[in-house]
């Protein structure tokens, strides 16, 4: 699988470090500029990037940015192309209202921009920009655009609420409500809801390698979390965190580790309020009515 695109990139004027790369769908405007470039801190250039093998790790930052665009433009789904070692290929950038600069130039930019009558706003210091600054997929609502990284894959009908977060190489495969955190490598199926404060474990921290998936028509309740995959039609009750090593009590009294239930459909995970034991029961399909279709259609 290959990819090729022409885009625009900003580089640090002193070191030549690539700060970003933007591959617009409607062609590159060579006159694209920003205040930081006018002030001499960065330089803009038109670039053409070709990737011969998307299953191989990114070769440089331009390559990395093209892969992130493919994911956010829905031309690739999470985990279908390699992003191995991507952090090492990207520069840590201060994302400002005057343009991207290396963090060491923030004070200088603030002074120069102030002299021009511009009040500098710093929206983040990170290797990844916000998705909506580069790609805005159709049929999606994002309450706080700073909480979705470039490289997130948001399917048509997805809503990301104010405290929702979607990392790169992660996201949704259909209409979904995101009020919690979707970590790198995680995919959430259609008509599922990641509740407020809920968390889905990824593989960036802790040395884990298993990719977590959430099936269709699932609910992860408020402040709940999972470190195992959920099959279709599963519910995790509010406040319940199920990791692979969590001991789960089944209806007949048998106890198993949660990893043995990973990916099994139609389960309800809850904590017994009397004993404190985490239990798994067959989920009542009428217990949760699914996402509000009125909120996720015609966006």
């Amino acid at each position: 699988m290959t990819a090729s695109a022409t885009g625009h990139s900003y580089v640090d004027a002193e070191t030549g470090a690539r700060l970003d790369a933007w591959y617009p769908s409607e062609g590159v405007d060579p006159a694209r500029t920003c205040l930081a470039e006018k002030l001499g801190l960065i330089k803009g250039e038109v670039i053409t990037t070709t990737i011969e093998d998307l299953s191989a790790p990114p070769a440089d930052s331009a390559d990395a940015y093209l892969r992130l665009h493919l994911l956010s433009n829905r031309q690739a789904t999470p985990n279908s192309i390699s992003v191995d070692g991507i952090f090492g290929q990207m520069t840590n950038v201060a994302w400002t209202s005057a343009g991207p600069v290396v963090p060491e130039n923030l004070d200088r930019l603030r002074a120069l921009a102030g002299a021009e009558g511009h009040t500098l706003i710093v929206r983040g210091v990170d290797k990844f920009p916000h998705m909506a600054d580069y790609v805005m997929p159709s049929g999606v609502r994002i309450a706080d655009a700073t909480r979705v990284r470039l490289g997130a894959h948001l399917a048509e009908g997805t809503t990301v609420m104010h405290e929702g977060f979607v990392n790169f190489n992660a996201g949704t495969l259909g209409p979904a409500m995101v009020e919690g955190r979707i970590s790198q490598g995680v995919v959430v199926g259609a008509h599922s809801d990641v509740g407020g404060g809920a968390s889905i474990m990824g593989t960036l921290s802790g040395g884990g390698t298993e990719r977590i998936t959430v099936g269709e028509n699932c609910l992860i309740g408020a402040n709940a979390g999972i470190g195992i995959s959920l099959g279709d039609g599963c519910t995790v009750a509010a406040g319940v965190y199920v990791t692979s090593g969590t001991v789960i009590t089944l209806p007949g009294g048998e106890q198993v580790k949660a990893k043995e239930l990973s990916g099994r459909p139609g389960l309800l995970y809850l904590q017994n309020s009397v004993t404190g034991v985490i239990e798994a029961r067959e989920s009542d399909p009428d217990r949760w009515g699914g996402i509000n279709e009125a909120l996720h259609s015609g966006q």
Side-chain angles (χ1 to χ4, degrees):
M1 185 176 175
T2 65
S4 184
T6 297
H8 183 280
S9 177
Y10 284 122
V11 299
D12 180 65
E14 182 177 350
T15 66
R18 191 173 306 284
L19 303 176
D20 79 341
W22 176 46
Y23 301 97
S25 58
E26 298 183 1
V28 178
D29 179 5
R32 179 197 184 204
T33 190
C34 64
L35 183 58
E37 182 175 19
K38 293 177 180 178
L39 295 174
L41 297 179
I42 63 176
K43 296 179 180 179
E45 60 184 29
V46 175
I47 59 172
T48 297
T49 303
T50 299
I51 304 174
E52 298 293 344
D53 183 4
L54 285 165
S55 67
D60 54 33
S61 60
D63 178 322
Y65 268 91
L66 181 50
R67 293 170 194 248
L68 297 176
H69 277 71
L70 293 175
L71 287 161
S72 289
N73 276 315
R74 303 173 182 153
Q75 295 173 277
T77 54
N79 306 314
S80 68
I81 60 178
S82 176
V83 292
D84 293 343
I86 196 170
F87 282 93
Q89 300 293 357
M90 300 175 69
T91 303
N92 198 34
V93 173
W95 305 100
T96 83
S97 54
V101 296
V102 293
E104 294 78 9
N105 279 341
L106 262 180
D107 286 343
R108 185 180 174 197
L109 176 60
R110 186 175 287 108
L112 292 172
E116 296 287 326
H118 179 91
T119 300
L120 191 70
I121 298 173
V122 181
R123 300 177 62 216
V125 179
D126 190 13
K127 292 194 173 188
F128 291 76
H130 309 132
M131 182 190 74
D133 289 340
Y134 291 76
V135 176
M136 190 59 225
S138 63
V140 167
R141 290 194 295 135
I142 305 173
D144 184 349
T146 66
R147 297 185 62 81
V148 179
R149 271 175 155 179
L150 180 63
H153 180 284
L154 301 184
E156 190 99 13
T158 295
T159 294
V160 183
M161 294 301 290
H162 297 78
E163 294 306 314
F165 172 76
V166 186
N167 212 334
F168 75 98
N169 193 40
T172 61
L173 302 180
M177 174 64 81
V178 182
E179 302 173 272
R181 187 180 77 220
I182 300 179
S183 301
Q184 195 275 139
V186 173
V187 290
V188 174
H191 310 292
S192 290
D193 187 326
V194 182
S199 177
I200 307 173
M201 294 174 64
T203 59
L204 288 180
S205 300
T209 57
E210 182 179 349
R211 300 288 186 181
I212 304 300
T213 61
V214 175
E216 298 185 355
N217 299 295
C218 290
L219 170 64
I220 303 175
N223 298 315
I226 56 170
I228 62 170
S229 294
L230 299 180
D232 295 344
C234 286
T235 296
V236 181
V240 175
Y241 210 118
V242 182
T243 66
S244 63
T246 300
V247 176
I248 306 293
T249 299
L250 302 178
E254 178 188 0
Q255 292 186 323
V256 299
K257 288 190 175 180
K259 63 182 179 182
E260 297 182 38
L261 304 176
S262 184
R264 186 178 299 185
L267 291 179
L268 165 64
Y269 295 91
L270 75 164
Q271 185 173 32
N272 187 302
S273 60
V274 176
T275 65
V277 169
I278 305 298
E279 301 177 356
R281 304 175 184 173
E282 289 190 10
S283 180
D284 179 355
D286 297 324
R287 181 184 178 90
W288 179 59
I291 61 175
N292 187 332
E293 296 296 340
L295 297 178
H296 298 270
S297 61
Q299 301 193 104

Short mmCIF file of all heavy atoms in Angstrom, two decimals, residues 29 57 64 74 78-79 81-82 106 108 119 131 136 152 169 177 180 187 206-207 221 231 243 284 286 289-290:
data_model
loop_
_atom_site.label_atom_id
_atom_site.label_comp_id
_atom_site.label_asym_id
_atom_site.label_seq_id
_atom_site.Cartn_x
_atom_site.Cartn_y
_atom_site.Cartn_z
N ASP A 29 -1.83 26.08 -1.55
CA ASP A 29 -1.67 27.50 -1.84
C ASP A 29 -0.24 27.88 -1.49
O ASP A 29 0.13 27.94 -0.32
CB ASP A 29 -2.66 28.32 -1.00
CG ASP A 29 -2.51 29.82 -1.23
OD1 ASP A 29 -1.71 30.21 -2.11
OD2 ASP A 29 -3.18 30.59 -0.53
N PRO A 57 7.65 1.57 9.06
CA PRO A 57 7.56 2.74 9.94
C PRO A 57 7.80 4.04 9.18
O PRO A 57 8.45 4.05 8.12
CB PRO A 57 8.68 2.49 10.97
CG PRO A 57 8.92 1.02 10.94
CD PRO A 57 8.67 0.61 9.52
N ALA A 64 5.44 11.04 8.38
CA ALA A 64 4.57 10.87 9.55
C ALA A 64 3.29 11.69 9.41
O ALA A 64 2.18 11.21 9.68
CB ALA A 64 5.32 11.26 10.82
N ARG A 74 -9.98 9.53 6.81
CA ARG A 74 -10.67 8.24 6.67
C ARG A 74 -10.19 7.46 5.44
O ARG A 74 -10.92 6.63 4.91
CB ARG A 74 -12.19 8.44 6.57
CG ARG A 74 -12.82 9.17 7.74
CD ARG A 74 -14.28 9.47 7.46
NE ARG A 74 -14.91 10.21 8.53
CZ ARG A 74 -15.96 11.02 8.33
NH1 ARG A 74 -16.47 11.18 7.13
NH2 ARG A 74 -16.48 11.66 9.35
N PRO A 78 -7.52 3.01 11.96
CA PRO A 78 -6.49 2.77 12.98
C PRO A 78 -5.92 1.36 12.91
O PRO A 78 -6.64 0.40 12.68
CB PRO A 78 -7.25 3.02 14.29
CG PRO A 78 -8.31 4.00 13.92
CD PRO A 78 -8.75 3.60 12.54
N ASN A 79 -4.61 1.28 13.06
CA ASN A 79 -3.85 0.03 13.07
C ASN A 79 -3.72 -0.63 11.70
O ASN A 79 -3.18 -1.73 11.59
CB ASN A 79 -4.46 -0.98 14.07
CG ASN A 79 -4.61 -0.39 15.45
OD1 ASN A 79 -3.69 0.24 15.96
ND2 ASN A 79 -5.77 -0.58 16.06
N ILE A 81 -2.12 0.98 9.12
CA ILE A 81 -0.84 1.45 8.61
C ILE A 81 0.11 1.61 9.79
O ILE A 81 -0.32 1.79 10.93
CB ILE A 81 -0.97 2.78 7.83
CG1 ILE A 81 -1.53 3.89 8.73
CG2 ILE A 81 -1.88 2.58 6.60
CD1 ILE A 81 -1.64 5.24 8.04
N SER A 82 1.39 1.56 9.52
CA SER A 82 2.37 1.62 10.61
C SER A 82 2.58 3.05 11.09
O SER A 82 2.76 3.97 10.29
CB SER A 82 3.71 1.04 10.15
OG SER A 82 4.68 1.18 11.18
N LEU A 106 9.28 30.85 21.87
CA LEU A 106 8.00 31.41 22.32
C LEU A 106 8.15 32.84 22.86
O LEU A 106 7.36 33.73 22.50
CB LEU A 106 7.38 30.52 23.39
CG LEU A 106 6.32 29.52 22.93
CD1 LEU A 106 5.81 28.70 24.09
CD2 LEU A 106 5.18 30.22 22.23
N ARG A 108 10.44 35.04 22.29
CA ARG A 108 10.79 35.95 21.19
C ARG A 108 9.56 36.24 20.33
O ARG A 108 9.31 37.39 19.95
CB ARG A 108 11.91 35.33 20.34
CG ARG A 108 12.43 36.23 19.24
CD ARG A 108 13.53 35.53 18.48
NE ARG A 108 13.95 36.30 17.32
CZ ARG A 108 14.64 35.81 16.31
NH1 ARG A 108 15.00 34.52 16.33
NH2 ARG A 108 14.99 36.57 15.29
N THR A 119 -1.90 39.73 20.19
CA THR A 119 -1.83 39.05 21.48
C THR A 119 -1.67 37.56 21.23
O THR A 119 -2.56 36.91 20.67
CB THR A 119 -3.10 39.30 22.31
OG1 THR A 119 -3.24 40.71 22.54
CG2 THR A 119 -3.00 38.58 23.65
N MET A 131 -6.39 18.04 15.29
CA MET A 131 -6.87 17.54 14.02
C MET A 131 -7.61 18.61 13.22
O MET A 131 -7.40 18.78 12.02
CB MET A 131 -7.81 16.34 14.23
CG MET A 131 -8.33 15.74 12.93
SD MET A 131 -9.64 14.51 13.16
CE MET A 131 -11.02 15.61 13.57
N MET A 136 -10.86 18.32 8.75
CA MET A 136 -12.16 18.30 9.41
C MET A 136 -13.07 17.34 8.67
O MET A 136 -13.65 17.67 7.64
CB MET A 136 -12.78 19.70 9.43
CG MET A 136 -14.01 19.78 10.32
SD MET A 136 -13.65 19.35 12.04
CE MET A 136 -15.02 18.27 12.42
N ALA A 152 -6.45 11.18 14.51
CA ALA A 152 -7.66 10.54 15.01
C ALA A 152 -8.55 10.18 13.82
O ALA A 152 -8.57 10.88 12.81
CB ALA A 152 -8.41 11.47 15.96
N ASN A 169 -4.21 7.56 15.61
CA ASN A 169 -4.32 6.13 15.35
C ASN A 169 -5.35 5.47 16.27
O ASN A 169 -5.15 4.39 16.81
CB ASN A 169 -2.96 5.44 15.51
CG ASN A 169 -2.96 4.02 14.95
OD1 ASN A 169 -3.54 3.76 13.90
ND2 ASN A 169 -2.31 3.10 15.64
N MET A 177 -20.77 8.29 20.60
CA MET A 177 -20.64 9.39 21.55
C MET A 177 -19.35 9.19 22.34
O MET A 177 -19.12 8.12 22.91
CB MET A 177 -21.83 9.42 22.50
CG MET A 177 -21.71 10.44 23.63
SD MET A 177 -21.66 12.15 23.05
CE MET A 177 -23.42 12.46 22.80
N GLY A 180 -15.42 10.31 27.08
CA GLY A 180 -14.23 9.91 27.83
C GLY A 180 -13.03 9.83 26.91
O GLY A 180 -12.97 10.51 25.88
N VAL A 187 -10.13 1.29 18.88
CA VAL A 187 -11.23 1.60 17.98
C VAL A 187 -12.55 1.26 18.67
O VAL A 187 -12.66 0.26 19.39
CB VAL A 187 -11.13 0.84 16.64
CG1 VAL A 187 -9.98 1.38 15.81
CG2 VAL A 187 -10.97 -0.66 16.85
N GLY A 206 2.98 1.63 29.71
CA GLY A 206 2.89 0.36 30.42
C GLY A 206 3.40 -0.85 29.66
O GLY A 206 3.41 -1.95 30.20
N GLY A 207 3.84 -0.65 28.43
CA GLY A 207 4.45 -1.75 27.70
C GLY A 207 3.50 -2.76 27.13
O GLY A 207 3.89 -3.81 26.63
N GLY A 221 -19.78 3.11 31.07
CA GLY A 221 -20.41 4.10 31.93
C GLY A 221 -19.46 5.17 32.42
O GLY A 221 -18.23 5.07 32.30
N GLY A 231 -17.02 -7.19 23.18
CA GLY A 231 -17.77 -7.60 22.01
C GLY A 231 -19.01 -6.73 21.86
O GLY A 231 -19.27 -5.83 22.66
N THR A 243 -9.62 -4.45 34.13
CA THR A 243 -8.34 -4.69 33.47
C THR A 243 -8.23 -6.18 33.16
O THR A 243 -9.06 -6.98 33.59
CB THR A 243 -7.17 -4.27 34.36
OG1 THR A 243 -7.12 -5.12 35.50
CG2 THR A 243 -7.31 -2.82 34.81
N ASP A 284 -28.84 -7.35 29.34
CA ASP A 284 -30.21 -7.18 28.85
C ASP A 284 -30.16 -6.17 27.71
O ASP A 284 -29.80 -5.00 27.92
CB ASP A 284 -31.11 -6.67 29.97
CG ASP A 284 -32.55 -6.45 29.52
OD1 ASP A 284 -32.82 -6.61 28.33
OD2 ASP A 284 -33.37 -6.11 30.38
N ASP A 286 -32.29 -4.48 26.37
CA ASP A 286 -33.17 -3.33 26.59
C ASP A 286 -32.71 -2.45 27.74
O ASP A 286 -33.30 -1.41 28.02
CB ASP A 286 -34.60 -3.80 26.86
CG ASP A 286 -35.20 -4.55 25.68
OD1 ASP A 286 -34.90 -4.15 24.53
OD2 ASP A 286 -35.95 -5.52 25.89
N GLY A 289 -30.61 1.91 25.87
CA GLY A 289 -31.31 2.15 24.61
C GLY A 289 -30.42 2.58 23.47
O GLY A 289 -30.91 2.83 22.36
N GLY A 290 -29.10 2.66 23.69
CA GLY A 290 -28.19 3.09 22.62
C GLY A 290 -28.05 4.59 22.56
O GLY A 290 -28.69 5.34 23.31
#
